Amino acid sequence: MKDQAKKPLGLERVKKWLYAKGLEERSAGCVLCGSCYGHGPANPYEDVPGPKEKCPPYEFYRFQRHTPKSRWLMAQRVFHGLDPITPELKEVVYTCTNCLMCQELCGVRNDGYGPWDITVAMREELTLKDGPLEAHRPLFEGLREHDNPWAQPKTQRGHWADGLGLKKLGDATAATLLFAGCSADRPDGKAGAVALAKLMKSSGVQFAVIGEAEKCCGLHAYDLGFREEYDRLQEENLAMIKRAAVREVVVACGSCQRAWREHAKVAGSGVEVFHGAQYVAELVQSGRLKFTQTIRKKATYHDSCHLGRGCGVYEEPRTILRAIPGVELVEMARNRRWSWCCGGGGGVPEAYPELAKWNADDRMREAKETGADIMLTSSALCQRSFAGCGAGALPIQDLLEFASQAV
Ligand code: SF4
Ligand code: SF4
């Protein structure tokens, strides 16, 4: 890719935050306050007390080295050449579930460079020096060869829309694009993408889908430290929407929303990105979509880390649920900003499945404590995590799939 060589990657990219005293104005590193993982008082910079449990890998392993603070300190030492890259160091760096809780809590940085950004930069550094973690190699190769982390050949992509009669971008330009995401052709993501398309269609929205040519949004590439793949996917996705004159991207998965929000910033003004829950909430509020069927169920909603803390989308899913006759919304103790991670992000299920399973089970326990009949999510990665909870777990369903039953 042109100009790639000039672009700082890895720890070089976050260099100014690796010097505790700061080389430039407003740069500062971790001050070791412990707010991102400790069980003591909440972050003193915050006006809303944070949760008792903060960083999932720390709660699971219970060693200080698995805290966001330690990851930041390790990054400093690796950057200055004081520590070698060892398997133990890699384990600490790659057990981060990318839940973004430390980013929400850390009072030192609020300019987009917090503890989680440092962890991602460390992953970039490790990829540059050592290549991907062995457990992540299939994701890496999948992205490189098939443009999706699940290594699905293009002939297997786009089938989620079979029989729905949707317009494809290749046939025409479209102001509104439904971006289905790489999970749409897998069990975890198909129902959500289909429901979003049906709800948009029944509300009279003119839109198109990409079909088999759809490429990954790049989220996995970014979060796992495959920065060059992320930059390529961002460039190609932006070129695609420019060619097709797309002005509005509606995504079916909470994780895609986090990546597309960044792409929209690069695209500049004129391109808006919405998660399906935001889009459908607007259709409901404007009266273009009406829920006429009653669903007598007690439902709890799991805020995905990427859609919630990553994009600040908390109220729209609840707006949809409150508009469905018969639905009683019951909240888990840890909700919205303080929602507990499902363990499904950051490549943790592939590399540390015992941590991912513990995380999902703990969240499922909390969901059951509400007395709900069902748990709803807006992310395919969360669906995948909860699908592994096994016997005794609540049924889990995509929010929009659930809502589409009320139309
Ligand atoms: S993003 Fe989450 S798992 Fe990763 S270091 Fe921060 S709090 Fe821990
Ligand atoms: S990463 Fe932020 S919240 Fe955590 S110990 Fe350092 S300064 Fe405190």
Side-chain angles (χ1 to χ4, degrees):
M1 241 167 64
K2 58 180 184 311
D3 294 337
Q4 190 69 52
K6 293 182 206 147
K7 215 166 154 182
L9 289 179
L11 295 177
E12 191 61 32
R13 185 167 68 77
V14 296
K15 174 179 175 176
K16 72 177 185 176
W17 291 280
L18 299 176
Y19 290 87
K21 288 184 181 166
L23 292 175
E24 298 172 43
E25 199 187 343
R26 294 198 67 244
S27 68
C30 171
V31 297
L32 317 180
C33 68
S35 296
C36 53
Y37 69 94
H39 289 185
N43 183 343
Y45 295 93
E46 279 282 347
D47 54 2
V48 184
K52 181 167 157 281
E53 300 87 5
K54 293 162 185 166
C55 175
Y58 172 62
E59 294 300 326
F60 181 69
Y61 295 108
R62 289 299 179 112
F63 286 111
Q64 280 265 336
R65 63 176 181 268
H66 285 99
T67 62
K69 176 187 86 173
S70 297
R71 293 186 181 94
W72 198 324
L73 296 184
M74 283 178 191
Q76 283 175 326
R77 293 184 63 81
V78 168
F79 180 72
H80 292 297
L82 297 172
D83 279 345
I85 294 170
T86 61
E88 292 76 18
L89 181 135
K90 284 189 180 181
E91 192 217 86
V92 172
V93 173
Y94 287 108
T95 48
C96 164
T97 63
N98 283 1
C99 78
L100 302 169
M101 183 70 91
C102 54
Q103 198 88 341
E104 191 77 21
L105 284 159
C106 180
V108 166
R109 304 237 57 86
N110 60 3
D111 57 358
Y113 284 93
W116 168 75
D117 293 286
I118 303 300
T119 300
V120 169
M122 262 295 265
R123 290 177 172 195
E124 281 175 32
E125 186 78 16
L126 299 185
T127 306
L128 285 170
K129 291 194 167 141
D130 256 9
L133 199 65
E134 223 29 60
H136 293 162
R137 193 162 283 282
L139 302 170
F140 182 70
E141 300 298 344
L143 285 163
R144 291 234 301 210
E145 286 173 28
H146 304 286
D147 290 323
N148 69 82
W150 317 127
Q152 276 186 309
K154 291 215 180 298
T155 51
Q156 291 174 22
R157 298 296 315 276
H159 290 302
W160 67 270
D162 287 352
L164 297 179
L166 306 178
K167 195 165 82 173
K168 276 202 195 166
L169 261 199
D171 308 330
T173 57
T176 302
L177 168 71
L178 190 166
F179 186 88
C182 299
S183 296
D185 285 295
R186 287 159 56 95
D188 330 302
K190 182 174 176 180
V194 169
L196 175 60
K198 284 184 175 171
L199 290 169
M200 287 171 71
K201 207 173 170 193
S202 67
S203 306
V205 179
Q206 297 295 316
F207 66 97
V209 296
I210 304 171
E212 66 177 25
E214 189 180 291
K215 297 172 192 244
C216 177
C217 65
L219 178 114
H220 258 74
Y222 188 89
D223 285 2
L224 272 63
F226 312 154
R227 185 60 187 243
E228 292 179 8
E229 285 309 303
Y230 172 78
D231 287 343
R232 174 184 71 82
L233 288 163
Q234 181 178 74
E235 195 172 287
E236 291 173 5
N237 273 310
L238 286 176
M240 176 268 299
I241 62 168
K242 193 171 173 196
R243 265 195 314 273
V246 170
R247 313 306 294 165
E248 195 174 61
V249 181
V250 187
V251 302
C253 172
S255 299
C256 299
Q257 168 80 349
R258 218 194 80 216
W260 267 101
R261 207 180 57 145
E262 295 308 310
H263 302 341
K265 285 182 199 163
V266 176
S269 60
V271 177
E272 288 192 281
V273 175
F274 303 96
H275 183 269
Q278 292 177 293
Y279 207 81
V280 169
E282 214 286 313
L283 291 173
V284 170
Q285 286 177 317
S286 64
R288 292 171 72 189
L289 179 67
K290 287 194 171 33
F291 295 127
T292 52
Q293 305 299 310
T294 299
I295 303 179
R296 294 214 183 281
K297 279 205 172 136
K298 211 187 247 196
T300 192
Y301 176 73
H302 166 74
D303 293 278
S304 94
C305 301
H306 295 162
L307 187 61
R309 282 185 288 275
C311 302
V313 177
Y314 297 117
E315 295 314 317
E316 293 91 333
R318 293 169 170 86
T319 299
I320 293 171
L321 290 173
R322 288 196 196 97
I324 301 173
V327 171
E328 183 188 345
L329 172 62
V330 284
E331 295 286 0
M332 286 181 259
R334 297 172 290 188
N335 62 67
R336 296 178 172 84
R337 283 180 75 196
W338 310 131
S339 171
W340 190 235
C341 178
C342 73
V348 167
E350 288 78 11
Y352 304 99
E354 68 292 347
L355 164 60
K357 172 88 169 69
W358 169 83
N359 228 155
D361 285 346
D362 193 47
R363 188 59 165 163
M364 181 56 76
R365 171 196 56 74
E366 191 175 4
K368 285 169 75 177
E369 281 172 9
T370 64
D373 306 310
I374 190 165
M375 173 153 61
L376 306 172
T377 78
S378 297
S379 162
L381 283 185
C382 301
Q383 290 249 47
R384 178 179 69 153
S385 301
F386 295 127
C389 284
L394 288 181
I396 173 88
Q397 196 172 25
D398 178 88
L399 169 79
L400 296 183
E401 184 193 13
F402 179 81
S404 65
Q405 301 168 106
V407 175

